[in-house]
Amino acid sequence: MFNIILGGPPGSGKGTISDSIVKKYHLEHLSTGDLLRSEIKAGTELGKELESIIAAGQLVPDHKMIHLLEHYFDDLDPKCPGVILDGYPRTVEQAEALTLMMKRRKMKAVMIELYADEDVIIERLLNRGKTSGRADDNYPTIKKRMRVYHEVTMAVSEYYIKRHEYFMVNSNINPDCTFAQMQHILDPIVANAGKVPAPAPANPVK
Ligand code: ADP
């Protein structure tokens, strides 16, 4: 099983590009944000704990996320060709736990990070907020999420760069352009049954 760790700040287009990846490569899409929001909607005990954390733009504690991921992979159909991890890992602790879990399950993964300028991102999220109904798509919470991304989550990119399991894609322009870059990376990996070509390019296409 070959997995894609889809990184990038809030609003960089992870959800949109995931739909195109699913269509072409037939991978499962796991959005940890959607998973957490479904717990809130279902009114579970976990959901009640999560509501205020997500509305404040903070990260859910690592041990809860690591536990959720283990459960997700336990329940996954063994015939599944792979998973797009959209929004996971967001901390180095989650990344380390994921590496161990992949090793235990004899799986591989590569990180592809979406890059977009902050003004583009903020405009996208404010637009999405008009219809998404999401408690965190408002200006102060978007700024808070961006800060968390810079202060905590960007270290995850460093983690994968050091492992030579990292690519970056520019998602400033439009979804077609983003997906064209994505295919350029994924086609050879898929053709070589999950073998990541080295060295991985680390600079964004500006
Ligand atoms: P975005 O990428 O736009 O921030 P997501 O739907 O991926 O949106 O995440 C929404 C929120 O869910 C995050 O701000 C955070 O509170 C929580 N969340 C999602 N994934 C994780 C994770 N891996 N670790 C901790 N919190 C998470």
Side-chain angles (χ1 to χ4, degrees):
M1 191 182 288
F2 177 70
N3 303 299
I4 299 169
I5 297 159
L6 198 53
S12 56
K14 299 188 291 291
T16 308
I17 202 72
S18 292
D19 293 343
S20 306
I21 299 173
V22 167
K23 267 194 204 123
K24 176 161 179 183
Y25 301 99
H26 312 293
L27 304 181
E28 290 265 336
H29 177 211
L30 170 65
S31 156
T32 46
D34 285 349
L35 192 67
L36 298 170
R37 282 184 291 274
S38 68
E39 290 283 340
I40 296 174
K41 211 167 161 200
T44 62
E45 276 311 305
L46 176 63
K48 283 176 198 151
E49 284 175 48
L50 299 173
E51 200 160 7
S52 57
I53 300 176
I54 294 181
Q58 287 163 346
L59 291 181
V60 173
D62 284 333
H63 67 277
K64 288 200 198 308
M65 294 308 303
I66 292 167
H67 189 70
L68 275 176
L69 253 279
E70 285 281 0
H71 264 282
Y72 174 83
F73 276 95
D74 281 345
D75 292 345
L76 197 66
D77 180 349
K79 290 197 205 94
C80 168
V83 177
I84 307 165
L85 295 167
D86 163 0
Y88 191 94
R90 268 169 144 105
T91 67
V92 171
E93 192 171 338
Q94 290 179 17
E96 285 167 347
L98 182 65
T99 300
L100 289 178
M101 188 186 81
M102 298 262 170
K103 200 170 167 200
R104 246 188 2 260
R105 294 174 191 253
K106 299 190 174 38
M107 291 175 179
K108 290 180 184 170
V110 61
M111 179 178 198
I112 306 181
E113 179 160 41
L114 301 184
Y115 165 85
D117 293 328
E118 186 154 334
D119 52 342
V120 173
I121 284 173
I122 291 178
E123 198 187 321
R124 279 182 194 163
L125 290 174
L126 288 174
N127 272 329
R128 186 175 77 185
K130 289 178 194 158
T131 53
S132 69
R134 273 178 57 166
D136 56 353
D137 279 346
N138 57 74
Y139 190 74
T141 315
I142 291 168
K143 288 298 270 186
K144 168 77 183 161
R145 283 154 68 202
M146 295 299 292
R147 206 161 50 241
V148 169
Y149 176 77
H150 286 290
E151 288 172 5
V152 183
T153 305
M154 267 175 68
V156 172
S157 309
E158 292 296 320
Y159 177 87
Y160 288 102
I161 288 169
K162 283 193 192 129
R163 295 174 61 86
H164 301 283
E165 293 167 352
Y166 177 86
F167 296 86
M168 187 180 262
V169 159
N170 183 331
S171 85
N172 263 321
I173 303 164
N174 60 44
D176 286 348
C177 176
T178 310
F179 190 53
Q181 296 169 68
M182 194 62 86
Q183 291 176 90
H184 196 68
I185 296 167
L186 288 179
D187 283 352
I189 295 177
V190 170
N192 287 299
K195 200 162 176 288
V196 179
N203 292 323
V205 185
K206 292 252 178 178

